[in-house]
Amino acid sequence: MARLVIDPVTRIEGHLRIEAQLDGGKVSDAWSSGTMFRGMEIILEGRDPREAWIWAQRICGVCTVVHALASVRAVENALAIPIPENARIVRDLMAGAQMVQDHVIHFYHLHALDWVDVASALKADPAKTSAIAQSISDYDRSSATYFRGIQQRVKAVVDSGQLSLFASGYWGHPAYLLPPEVNLLAVAHYLEALEWQKDFIRIHALLGGKNPHPQSFLVGGMTTSLDPNEPFAVINPIVIDKLQDLVKSAKKFVDQIYIPDVLAIAPYYKDWFSRGEGLGNFLSYGDYASDNLEDPKTFLFPRGVVLNRDLSTVHAVEPAGISEFVTHSWYEYSGGDENGKHPSVGETKPKYTGPKPPYDFLEVDRKYSWLKAPRYQGKAMEVGPLARVVVGYASGQPDIRAAVDGVLTKLNATPTVLYSTLGRIAARAIEAQIMAHRLQGWLDQLSSNLDHGNVTVFNPIRWDPATWPKSARGFGWHEAPRGSLGHWVEIEGKSIKNYQAVVPTTWNAGPRDTQGNRGAYEAALAGTPVADPARPLEILRTVHSFDPCLACAVHVIDAQGRKYTLPMVR
Amino acid sequence: MLAVETEQASLAGALGRRGITRRQLVKFCSLMLTTLALPDKYLAATVAAVSKAKKQVLVWMQFQDCAGCSESMLRSSHPEIADIVLDLFSWEYHELIMAGSGAAANAVLDRVVTQEKGNYIAVVEGGIPTADGGVYCTIGGRSALDIAKTVCGNAAATIAVGACAADGGFMRAHPNPTGAVGLEEAVPGIRLINMNGCAHNPVNTAAVLVHYLTFRDLPAVDQHNRPLFAYGRVIHDQCERRAHYDAGRFVTEWGDEGHRKGYCLYKMGCKGPAATFNCPTAQWNDHTSWPIRAGHGCIACASPRFWDHMSPFYDRLPSVPGFGVEVTAGELGLGLVGAVVAGVTVHGLITMIRPAPPYPETKV
Amino acid sequence: MHPALNEDRRHPEVPVGQCSAVYVWQYPIRLFHWALVFSIAVLAVTGYYIHDPFIIDQVKRPYLMGWFRFVHESFGMIFIALFVMRICLFFRFSGGDRWVRWDQYIPLRGVQFREMLNVMEFYLFIRRTPISKIGHNGMAALSYVAVYTLMLVEIVTGLVMYDWIMQSPVIHFLVGWIPRVVDIQNIRLIHFFAMYLFVIFGIFHVHIAMLISRVEKRGLMDSMFTGYKVIPVTELDEAEKQAELSRK
């Protein structure tokens, strides 16, 4: 019995600490703790709700855009502002681009080093790597010369003795199973992806001025003015051409590099198709309504809940079923910490009761995280790409069905392998591919609107605060790259009275609830083998498969602890 | 003579080992000099400095952050991030992208702080919470403040990237629940430069890094400790929409004709006139665009304490203290004038109906 | 006989022989007064336009904001000159400008405080008769000190913003440190809001001038045009004695 602490968990966004109990070379119990708190919602009180998105977007710089989107949706919902079609398309394009880019970055730069031994790549035969590359993909940069160049570059770094970011890696760990040639392939694509992601994300610069934190959202639409004849309109035919090139590059990257790489690496790690299963309960708010805004079943990612891995039933999402617990979180509730609260009736008083830093261990049987523990109808849920793919698959969404079946056929597997560490990786890749191709459809639609003189991109009816009701409540949901994201807002007069966010990583990385039920990370880690406690690569694999984003996850709810009735829910 | 040959050998060797050609390197150095507003005569020195055989050690710390500044650095095009990571620096610690976690990561940091003491560059992202003993941000069980003191206190120079590291960022906005501050206040007395912005612009940060490599010194700074080459001029004066401002052509409603034609966003609350930054010239994401070109007003994200000072972002002026966003300064002023007019009228009427006093009566 | 003592301007109860026309406001202070009125009006209008461009003219006047800013900045310089001029007049002891000297304005003597109290009593209808003085009463004088302070605030905040774009070394030396203490946006807010205080002062000023002029019948309004007030001889003798005393 030994207590293992991983803090900082790197290659994630934010500050995550994992404490794990090891028993016979396996994790017998685990605790996930967010160790950073900022207090965004307290700060937002009293400010102009029209600018809430600018603030909320700063919750996270990795999943930039998503909080801006959820925030404007919440305020638009509160003030009952319908947005023009073009605004929806531009938002979908930006959020979709974010999803594709984020998934690629996650796979190559945040997750790949758990599976790929960079040092081993030095032993590879570039000619063999080239042969492998050409057998799995049509991607043009696949010559032996190219891979030799990459190998020499890595060798130069290793020879210099200054290994940069790779210095602390677990190279040579017995859990690395890829042959050197595949390792070299992956290292080459690590660098390719670094280059591609910064080029592709110019889509955000074109539509939002910059990335991270694009700046083109408005409550009621977007600032991206459309005009087919104006050179200074944000979107004109010249910009459309640029966007076309970028969307093409996304399709090419995902189809020719990302998907083939996942399919090439996965067979070497078949054990991980049964490890890290986690909760088995999946939640998706659903998003990307192309035709029917009112029917969440027709969304690109349908809305629904799947319980206990039962794909035969998709339950409807009841917004009132969401509650957050602070039994094991550093907050206190006025009515006692044992009861959960719906985000719209929630309250927060940060109250740190943990050990005084510097400390060695957290008091895991008491409060141990800055994350709250969200539950859906009392159950812990997993959100994210896997949840979306599972819910979409169970709902019979044709794009998701086809993509999942395609991948499963290639891997010669059944849908049950999805409930695993590798399943999350596969789901993310599937989703990136669906999204990359969907971007094209939206862009073509935007281009067609532009050609036909449909240039409305903003609805001005409620811009002036004088047109607002005395008080209003609303919520905005979005399926962010990491899962289901919800913002709740209450407006009184011209300012925000209460603001709150329940974000994907809070669902996944949250601590235990009152009943002691584990969060998704904690559940997924149980039973994970750890060959070398000094180099806990296996734990990182499962944690990383969720793509943690801790800055998002730590948030607070209304500081005054007022009571509200539930928001109006359509 | 021998020294020169050795130097050349080292340069050639260093270049050979790297994936970049000399041509690429010279191009990159020229761009950095342009950004820094330095003359060409420094080119040779710059090229020599960035191609040293032993790479400059750098650690990138993240405290109360959103990782946006790290992501911004990942969007760097000149130099490519791959070049920075592999070729220009020995980028030893950066939680977002480094290979090892937990003990392995902490060991790297400990080694840098002890073995490279006084020689490494620390880049800091995120604010530092000071309230309640620093419990609002801990890494490896240590408070952010504790780590910042150790890491920045032993660095040759510290670069605070982004608004949060420079002045506490949005966490510090009223009411600052975690007692967040910027590095300048958290660890006073260190050799520091602030790269304000939300996020920081990677071109400027790269230029500062190159400046340090070349001159072993940080560039000249303004009163907020920001480099003058990037923060010396008002955005409004460099803006591509400036001609529209002078001409009195304004966007008056989002999506109107002026908005489509790219008129000035002044009336929509643009903070370009209040912000100093090279955003219009440096631009973002490989010189693709910048916020005003995307049709939204500037929020002055590179100005000190901009979250409180520059909001509300859709009004030209800040809120009057005590009134929040409910009443603007103009409305308050007009209200006061109205009240005074009413009061004076009543006063005048009362005076009129009273009999005139006798004359003269000057006794006090 | 001086025109100030004409039948229609004089109080009917005052025989001509018992009062005298006194040249209270010499031309520098009158010039200051009217130039200030004009420049405040111009600055307020142009400043408001700069705050909120209410004329959106896209064709006819292609440099509208530029002109408004030019006029605003030019009159800002005139405004500064007027402020400097007024400060000089504070310390001018030659000639007959004794009523514009600093000691008439800064309340240091008990009599000035007593005047303030009595003036407030008059305005609040507790006292029937106004406080008539040859120059300013203590209350009026203090209100002008407030206005001069307001002028200084506008000048300093204006110069900070001017320095923001012009980066002139002299101005930068004088006010360049201020944005470090008060954020530039708050400087803007102060500069803008002080305009309303000028407007409010203007309303009070005109109202009270008309009120007192009508009640005391000493040519108060006229004096700011002609310089002359009508003062009873007795009071003049008293003032002479006071002046004599203070000289000793």
Side-chain angles (χ1 to χ4, degrees), chain B residues 71-149:
Chain B
E71 288 284 330
S72 191
M73 205 70 207
L74 291 181
R75 313 281 183 267
S76 162
S77 297
H78 306 287
E80 304 278 346
I81 178 67
D83 299 337
I84 299 183
V85 169
L86 293 179
D87 297 326
L88 293 178
F89 292 91
S90 188
W91 200 275
E92 311 247 324
Y93 185 95
H94 190 165
E95 284 169 37
L96 183 70
I97 43 176
M98 70 191 293
S101 279
N106 293 325
V108 168
L109 196 58
D110 289 346
R111 180 175 56 72
V112 170
V113 169
T114 49
Q115 291 179 11
E116 296 285 334
K117 188 175 161 71
N119 292 321
Y120 63 93
I121 295 179
V123 181
V124 175
E125 169 183 13
I128 297 171
T130 55
D132 306 323
V135 299
Y136 297 109
C137 180
T138 61
I139 301 164
R142 292 171 70 193
S143 71
L145 183 60
D146 184 16
I147 299 170
K149 280 180 178 158

Side-chain angles (χ1 to χ4, degrees), chain B residues 323-355:
Chain B
F323 290 87
V325 297
E326 301 291 328
V327 180
T328 66
E331 289 163 355
L332 188 67
L334 270 184
L336 281 178
V337 169
V340 167
V341 168
V344 159
T345 311
V346 171
H347 191 261
L349 286 174
I350 296 174
T351 317
M352 299 263 262
I353 55 174
R354 281 161 59 93

